[in-house]
Amino acid sequence: MVRWGSCLVGAVVIAIIVADLYFFHVAFVPAKKDFLERPLPLKPGTALYHQRLWYHDTPKQHWTMESASGHYRLDASYIPAAHSNKAVLICHGYMQNKNDMGAYAAMFHQLGYNVLLPDARGMGDSQGKYVGFGWPERYDERKWMKRLVHHLGPHVKIVMFGVSMGGATTMMTSGIQLPKQCVAMIEDCGYTSVKAEITHEAKDMYHMPVVPRWPLIPVLSLMVKLRIGYFMGEASSIRMLYHNHRPMLFIHGARDTFVPTWMVYQNYQADRGPKELWICPDANHAHSYRTHPKEYEYHVRQFLNRYVR
């Protein structure tokens, strides 16, 4: 009886490890993900077509740098704006790349901003073994800010902007020491923490009840610690926002189920700087700009006019 019990426990442990290896690969290893929405084709009549066409046709400078950890070469595109001392650092979403942010680049450039669009670790043309979900990348973003200061001079005013994982990266970056030239931040549909987002997806995508989530999520977090360097609960937007004192605009779609809309209220409440919140009506995850483009541009423009002078 004892032997059968030991075998059962061993089988359960093996099953948990095998399941977590699968989930780790699905969530943290860069690869094509079937559960993600495909990029919009660049065709007339599609959402934000003119903005995306402008980005496609606009000449770009190619920038590279070493990651903050020193392990990877990171890639970025830079679009200068004539006679401007303002710059925006744009962070893309999960398993996207800099070119997926073309419509946002067009919006900011039209507002008079030099635009820097990096590829996060393991995505686009940047090197990297794992997806960091914004936590290790926050130090990369700080290095990109310093690169902008070096390129544009000490009087540059930098805005950081991100969507989805990029929004979380923006919030996570807000809590570390940054160049004084970083004066404001805008996040669109970022999650409260990596643990909260992974737990939500385990429930939403796999319909996983509480009991399997309980051993699987902690073991998965341990795997993340061993391979990427942090426990999932550490990678918290909320925790970093407690240390932020820069102006922050929070944007979230009212119908977002991938990063559920309730998360933005927790993020907003945690922030310690001047802040604004806009819930975009009828918008799904990362669709606020395409759903209500004029209103989106209005809220971004008003926020920037207020805090970036």
Side-chain angles (χ1 to χ4, degrees), residues 148-290:
L148 282 169
V149 174
H150 178 76
H151 183 73
L152 294 170
H155 299 297
V156 63
K157 296 179 180 180
I158 300 172
V159 174
M160 186 172 178
F161 169 86
V163 178
S164 191
M165 187 186 82
T169 304
T170 299
M171 292 184 283
M172 291 173 182
T173 305
S174 75
I176 64 175
Q177 187 173 2
L178 297 173
K180 65 181 181 180
Q181 290 85 358
C182 180
V183 296
M185 295 185 163
I186 302 173
E187 78 83 23
D188 182 342
C189 64
Y191 37 81
T192 53
S193 72
V194 175
K195 181 180 179 181
E197 179 60 17
I198 295 295
T199 302
H200 168 74
E201 290 307 316
K203 178 182 177 182
D204 190 57
M205 290 175 57
Y206 298 97
H207 308 289
M208 194 179 293
V210 173
V211 173
R213 290 203 308 266
W214 176 81
L216 285 171
I217 297 298
V219 174
L220 178 61
S221 185
L222 179 60
M223 287 184 180
V224 174
K225 176 66 174 179
L226 294 173
R227 297 191 180 191
I228 308 179
Y230 67 87
F231 290 110
M232 293 194 303
E234 291 179 72
S236 169
S237 300
I238 289 175
R239 182 173 140 199
M240 291 293 100
L241 287 166
Y242 278 123
H243 301 285
N244 176 53
H245 297 284
R246 294 171 186 81
M248 178 85 74
L249 171 60
F250 296 82
I251 299 172
H252 217 101
R255 295 186 178 179
D256 194 337
T257 57
F258 193 80
V259 177
T261 307
W262 59 260
M263 287 191 177
V264 73
Y265 295 107
Q266 294 188 6
N267 288 329
Y268 179 80
Q269 184 156 6
D271 187 57
R272 291 298 177 261
K275 53 191 174 182
E276 298 179 12
L277 171 64
W278 179 50
I279 304 298
C280 182
D282 307 316
N284 296 324
H285 181 66
H287 283 194
S288 292
Y289 191 18
R290 70 169 72 174

Side-chain angles (χ1 to χ4, degrees), residues 1-307:
M1 189 71 177
V2 173
R3 195 168 91 185
W4 278 107
S6 299
C7 290
L8 180 60
V9 170
V12 170
V13 170
I14 291 171
I16 290 172
I17 293 173
V18 170
D20 272 320
L21 286 171
Y22 167 78
F23 288 127
F24 181 87
H25 187 273
V26 168
F28 293 93
V29 176
K32 182 181 178 181
K33 312 293 181 181
D34 292 335
F35 57 85
L36 294 178
E37 183 180 54
R38 293 183 179 181
L40 283 172
L42 188 59
K43 293 181 179 179
T46 55
L48 304 173
Y49 168 73
H50 294 290
Q51 293 91 330
R52 293 186 294 121
L53 181 65
W54 174 90
Y55 175 80
H56 179 270
D57 293 340
T58 296
K60 306 165 189 67
Q61 297 178 17
H62 181 217
W63 287 15
T64 62
M65 77 169 191
E66 192 176 70
S67 65
S69 63
H71 296 143
Y72 307 116
R73 179 191 57 78
L74 304 179
D75 194 276
S77 290
Y78 176 74
I79 305 173
H83 313 298
S84 174
N85 71 331
K86 298 181 291 187
V88 61
L89 174 63
I90 296 181
C91 300
H92 62 74
Y94 178 73
M95 291 316 306
Q96 291 188 319
N97 62 66
K98 54 185 177 287
N99 296 325
D100 293 311
M101 305 301 285
Y104 302 98
M107 174 183 68
F108 279 102
H109 196 269
Q110 187 176 25
L111 292 171
Y113 283 74
N114 298 279
V115 180
L116 180 60
L117 303 108
D119 282 332
R121 299 181 185 196
M123 286 170 268
D125 296 314
S126 287
Q127 297 176 343
K129 194 173 182 181
Y130 301 115
V131 178
F133 278 87
W135 194 243
E137 289 85 353
R138 61 199 166 129
Y139 296 111
D140 298 335
E141 306 309 335
R142 180 167 66 183
K143 281 195 72 175
W144 284 121
M145 288 183 193
K146 291 179 179 179
R147 178 77 177 271
L148 282 169
V149 174
H150 178 76
H151 183 73
L152 294 170
H155 299 297
V156 63
K157 296 179 180 180
I158 300 172
V159 174
M160 186 172 178
F161 169 86
V163 178
S164 191
M165 187 186 82
T169 304
T170 299
M171 292 184 283
M172 291 173 182
T173 305
S174 75
I176 64 175
Q177 187 173 2
L178 297 173
K180 65 181 181 180
Q181 290 85 358
C182 180
V183 296
M185 295 185 163
I186 302 173
E187 78 83 23
D188 182 342
C189 64
Y191 37 81
T192 53
S193 72
V194 175
K195 181 180 179 181
E197 179 60 17
I198 295 295
T199 302
H200 168 74
E201 290 307 316
K203 178 182 177 182
D204 190 57
M205 290 175 57
Y206 298 97
H207 308 289
M208 194 179 293
V210 173
V211 173
R213 290 203 308 266
W214 176 81
L216 285 171
I217 297 298
V219 174
L220 178 61
S221 185
L222 179 60
M223 287 184 180
V224 174
K225 176 66 174 179
L226 294 173
R227 297 191 180 191
I228 308 179
Y230 67 87
F231 290 110
M232 293 194 303
E234 291 179 72
S236 169
S237 300
I238 289 175
R239 182 173 140 199
M240 291 293 100
L241 287 166
Y242 278 123
H243 301 285
N244 176 53
H245 297 284
R246 294 171 186 81
M248 178 85 74
L249 171 60
F250 296 82
I251 299 172
H252 217 101
R255 295 186 178 179
D256 194 337
T257 57
F258 193 80
V259 177
T261 307
W262 59 260
M263 287 191 177
V264 73
Y265 295 107
Q266 294 188 6
N267 288 329
Y268 179 80
Q269 184 156 6
D271 187 57
R272 291 298 177 261
K275 53 191 174 182
E276 298 179 12
L277 171 64
W278 179 50
I279 304 298
C280 182
D282 307 316
N284 296 324
H285 181 66
H287 283 194
S288 292
Y289 191 18
R290 70 169 72 174
T291 304
H292 292 290
K294 290 183 179 179
E295 292 88 342
Y296 196 102
E297 292 172 357
Y298 170 81
H299 283 280
V300 169
R301 184 174 60 252
Q302 291 297 104
F303 174 80
L304 295 175
N305 288 343
R306 189 171 292 116
Y307 294 110

